[in-house]
Amino acid sequence: MIIEVWATTDVGKQRSINEDCYYVDSDHELILILDGMGGHQAGEVASRLAMDTISSFYKEHCGGSADSSDIFDSYDQRFTYHTNLLRQATFIANRVILEKSLENQELIGMGSTLAGMAIHDFTVSLINVGDSRMYLIRNGLMEQVSKDHTLAEDQVERGIMTRDEVRDSQLRHILSSVIGVDPRIRVHMDELTVFPGDMFLLCSDGLTAVMSDPEILQEVLRDKPGPRTLDRMIEEVNLRGGPDNTTLALAVFIEEPQPVKESKLQSLLAKTLAVFHGRKRNISKARLPGGYRCLNWS
Amino acid sequence: MFKLVLTFQDTVLEEYTFDTTPVTIGRREDNDVVVDNMAVSGHHAQIEEEETNFYVLVDLESLNGTFLNQKQVTRERIFDGDAIIIGKHSLNFVDLRPEEEQPLRAEESQGDKPAGGAFRDTVILDTQAQQALLAKQAEERGFPQDQLPEKPKKIELYGTITIISGGTPQIIDLNKRLTTLGKASDSDVKCSGLLVGKTAALINKRPNGFFLAYAEGLKKPEVNGKAVTTQVQLQDGDDITIGSTRLTFNLREEIS
């Protein structure tokens, strides 16, 4: 199986600064979307700091295993090493941003959301904090695989609101967990096996504030998935006023037409493609069912 | 600069033009707009200005509420053409500024689009403020602090795998999100047999059940005698065969 990944970010129509950012790393098979918040330029500082901290911690340790590591504050046995690694990276980012914000008056209260996925061993590890979302699109259906950390969601869990009421509630804009504001942080984790045809959409709330889930699904399925899919969604968001920054990443798992063993040339090319950070469009590879390590770019 | 047209049962009673804010509306004589009706509170509502160029209608905790275009509001931006309802009276809002100086309603809530409203920006609150807000909303919905509704029931799924043959007989709880089955020494469930992959199969625990997926190896896992090429949802009592290892899946539901 091959994974193709595209990502893009747009400032929108009403803001002058883009506080969102994204990270796509084909070598370590890691995709992150972050939405920063805070006055002045603090939101921008927070999201980039979280991105750098999480990605570098993950890269540093993703080759390790649960037994050999003393890097964890806590280890959740129900999840794989890689998912625990993403969570630990998020804990560290939380401390780093909190410390940084205490150093400088202008940065106090800054924070960032996170939606991240790492691909490894036939599966994806999913992690999220705040209201940036991840969707799995499989067999023409879309399922939200992240959990919103908003007060509206809390009220649903307490039985005070119904799920249908959330969309119209002001509480859905108030985050109950965010990286960098409180020493305690809620992190949602999940793990999924993946199959050819699966697509994952990661997005900041710039998209979900103006488009409903069925509208998003319709846009994803409109045509063959590719960079145009993301461009069309950004265009639609801006047509609807573009109130916020919007960041999108689309990962598509596809069947390799014929098994190709990785040649020396390919592995060399893979290395040269190692630096992906900040590029608009990226293609990734992974080891997945079928057992081949393949690389594809177009 | 804006105009308010006061009407009662389709009859225009008065027109007011204002240059400055706040403009107060109520039954008492000291209001800018006096509406003499018992359904109207003494100081019922007022119109304020908000950055950058918005007029805002604010309800002053009136007894019978302030309505904007049929919707009850506490604080809401208003635009040219909006109808404010107070008691049985209606106030039509006319923005008198040049059109290019008037704000656009563009991102306001309408139809099937998600609502915009007062919190246009994402907000972070500290834990205490969060708890206070949650309690306040619960109370508004008729759930005082000491009488919270019962939490919605959650169905917790418990799955187990029993190794029947081709391995050390044992029962393995599927309490991990992903359980690996295969030849690899670090597999959660060790299986043997010719052409069985290091990770032959994975069992994924999802909110709606347990799913067995094929991973690698020429020998595909079988559920009830049928080879699995992608994934299947496991049912209580299913037989699983991986190479020469035979297993049984059991499922138990508990309501918590």
Side-chain angles (χ1 to χ4, degrees):
Chain A
M1 198 146 47
I2 299 167
I3 311 156
E4 292 190 308
V5 183
W6 302 275
T8 186
T9 185
D10 189 83
V11 69
K13 289 284 180 206
Q14 296 183 23
R15 308 213 172 185
S16 53
I17 301 172
N18 193 341
E19 297 183 319
D20 285 5
C21 61
Y22 67 83
Y23 180 90
V24 178
D25 184 333
S26 68
D27 262 11
H28 300 91
E29 293 153 14
L30 178 67
I31 305 165
L32 308 173
I33 291 275
L34 303 102
D35 177 356
M37 50 207 68
H40 304 285
Q41 322 235 309
E44 210 181 349
V45 175
S47 60
R48 277 147 191 82
L49 202 52
M51 175 178 83
D52 292 342
T53 308
I54 293 166
S55 60
S56 60
F57 184 85
Y58 185 83
K59 283 194 298 196
E60 170 90 25
H61 297 287
C62 67
S65 72
D67 327 318
S68 59
S69 299
D70 50 0
I71 50 174
F72 295 101
D73 288 335
S74 65
Y75 193 94
D76 190 333
Q77 292 293 345
R78 296 169 303 164
F79 291 91
T80 59
Y81 171 73
H82 290 84
T83 306
N84 275 286
L85 204 54
L86 282 176
R87 183 172 73 146
Q88 182 62 26
T90 307
F91 287 160
I92 293 171
N94 190 45
R95 288 205 290 265
V96 168
I97 295 174
L98 203 54
E99 287 295 324
K100 185 93 182 170
S101 67
L102 297 175
E103 279 173 16
N104 185 335
Q105 194 68 33
E106 289 204 331
L107 300 179
I108 282 180
M110 70 174 174
S112 178
T113 69
L114 165 72
M117 67 184 268
I119 302 139
H120 60 93
D121 306 324
F122 318 102
T123 59
V124 292
S125 290
L126 305 168
I127 190 155
N128 85 279
V129 179
D131 63 354
S132 291
R133 284 184 176 175
M134 291 180 281
Y135 293 102
L136 165 65
I137 298 129
R138 175 180 285 171
N139 300 328
L141 300 172
M142 188 164 85
E143 179 191 351
Q144 186 182 333
V145 287
S146 58
K147 179 185 159 145
D148 293 346
H149 293 123
T150 63
L151 293 197
E153 196 62 34
D154 282 5
Q155 293 295 61
V156 171
E157 286 184 5
R158 297 166 81 209
I160 285 164
M161 276 167 73
T162 66
R163 182 136 326 266
D164 288 342
E165 289 170 326
V166 169
R167 278 181 67 80
D168 294 321
S169 169
Q170 302 292 8
L171 295 183
R172 76 191 175 91
H173 295 292
I174 307 176
L175 301 184
S176 56
S177 183
V178 65
I179 302 173
V181 175
D182 197 301
R184 290 160 304 173
I185 180 174
R186 284 199 269 175
V187 176
H188 180 255
M189 300 183 281
D190 203 357
E191 292 172 341
L192 285 172
T193 45
V194 279
F195 305 98
D198 284 354
M199 289 186 266
F200 285 87
L201 177 70
L202 289 75
C203 58
S204 62
D205 69 334
L207 177 74
T208 49
V210 296
M211 285 178 81
S212 66
D213 287 6
E215 289 172 329
I216 294 169
L217 177 63
Q218 198 184 358
E219 211 48 74
V220 172
L221 298 179
R222 192 178 293 277
D223 209 346
K224 191 175 176 293
R228 271 296 297 151
T229 312
L230 300 186
D231 293 345
R232 276 202 314 268
M233 280 196 271
I234 296 281
E235 277 164 30
E236 186 60 35
V237 166
N238 286 334
L239 270 177
R240 298 182 182 199
D244 200 352
N245 310 142
T246 301
T247 302
L248 308 169
L250 183 67
V252 182
F253 293 76
I254 49 176
E255 188 93 76
E256 173 73 347
Q258 59 218 184
V260 183
K261 286 233 166 96
E262 192 177 284
S263 68
K264 272 190 182 158
L265 178 66
Q266 278 177 320
S267 76
L268 190 71
L269 275 168
K271 278 177 194 140
T272 61
L273 280 171
V275 185
F276 271 77
H277 169 191
R279 297 227 344 227
K280 191 164 176 176
R281 275 150 204 172
N282 309 294
I283 305 237
S284 181
K285 66 189 166 64
R287 190 167 71 92
L288 285 150
Y292 308 111
R293 225 172 211 292
C294 295
L295 180 70
N296 180 33
W297 64 95
S298 49
Chain B
M1 193 174 182
F2 63 95
K3 188 163 78 169
L4 291 173
V5 184
L6 178 66
T7 58
F8 181 71
Q9 293 176 345
D10 295 331
T11 311
V12 176
L13 301 179
E14 195 96 47
E15 283 191 16
Y16 306 85
T17 304
F18 297 99
D19 248 343
T20 54
T21 55
V23 168
T24 58
I25 305 161
R27 200 182 64 245
R28 293 217 189 128
E29 288 296 326
D30 58 356
N31 288 288
D32 299 311
V33 177
V34 180
V35 185
D36 187 16
N37 186 289
M38 283 313 286
V40 178
S41 296
H43 297 107
H44 196 107
Q46 69 179 23
I47 293 171
E48 301 172 358
E49 276 174 83
E50 187 180 275
E51 292 282 309
T52 45
N53 59 343
F54 293 98
Y55 285 115
V56 187
L57 174 66
V58 183
D59 178 67
L60 299 175
E61 301 186 340
S62 65
L63 189 63
N64 293 310
T66 301
F67 294 79
L68 182 67
N69 305 324
Q70 270 108 51
K71 206 180 117 209
Q72 186 166 4
V73 297
T74 49
R75 182 184 177 88
E76 196 75 36
R77 288 179 179 173
I78 48 176
F79 300 89
D80 186 54
D82 280 347
I84 302 163
I85 315 279
I86 283 169
K88 287 179 178 166
H89 289 72
S90 173
L91 282 163
N92 293 316
F93 176 82
V94 184
D95 200 330
L96 295 176
R97 294 173 293 184
E99 207 158 291
E100 61 272 16
E101 285 176 28
Q102 295 181 18
L104 290 175
R105 198 193 288 266
E107 77 273 24
E108 286 300 295
S109 59
Q110 42 185 251
D112 56 351
K113 286 176 197 167
F119 293 114
R120 188 122 325 120
D121 286 338
T122 311
V123 180
I124 316 167
L125 292 176
D126 64 41
T127 317
Q128 229 175 348
Q130 279 182 27
Q131 293 309 323
L133 196 60
L134 289 176
K136 181 166 168 266
Q137 201 223 10
E139 206 150 326
E140 279 168 13
R141 290 175 159 258
F143 300 116
Q145 197 66 23
D146 49 350
Q147 290 174 35
L148 288 181
E150 273 188 49
K151 283 194 177 182
K153 295 257 182 287
K154 269 191 192 162
I155 298 174
E156 192 64 40
L157 299 174
Y158 296 94
T160 57
I161 285 280
T162 310
I163 301 181
I164 308 289
S165 64
T168 320
Q170 59 177 315
I171 298 172
I172 295 159
D173 288 331
L174 300 175
N175 48 19
K176 291 164 75 168
R177 206 54 63 102
L178 284 167
T179 303
T180 57
L181 302 89
K183 260 185 176 168
S185 58
D186 60 352
S187 295
D188 298 309
V189 182
K190 276 174 210 62
C191 303
S192 54
L194 203 62
L195 305 176
V196 169
K198 278 188 169 169
T199 303
L202 293 153
I203 297 176
N204 196 183
K205 184 183 179 189
R206 302 291 305 145
N208 54 338
F210 290 82
F211 294 83
L212 182 134
Y214 162 63
E216 65 180 343
L218 285 171
K219 186 78 188 155
K220 295 202 165 59
E222 290 175 13
V223 173
N224 299 329
K226 240 181 117 186
V228 178
T229 51
T230 54
Q231 75 167 357
V232 290
Q233 180 164 12
L234 294 173
Q235 309 294 339
D236 185 42
D238 277 353
D239 287 319
I240 303 166
T241 311
I242 293 171
S244 55
T245 305
R246 280 196 57 214
L247 316 117
T248 307
F249 170 78
N250 287 105
L251 182 65
R252 187 163 51 85
E253 289 180 7
E254 266 180 30
I255 295 170
S256 59

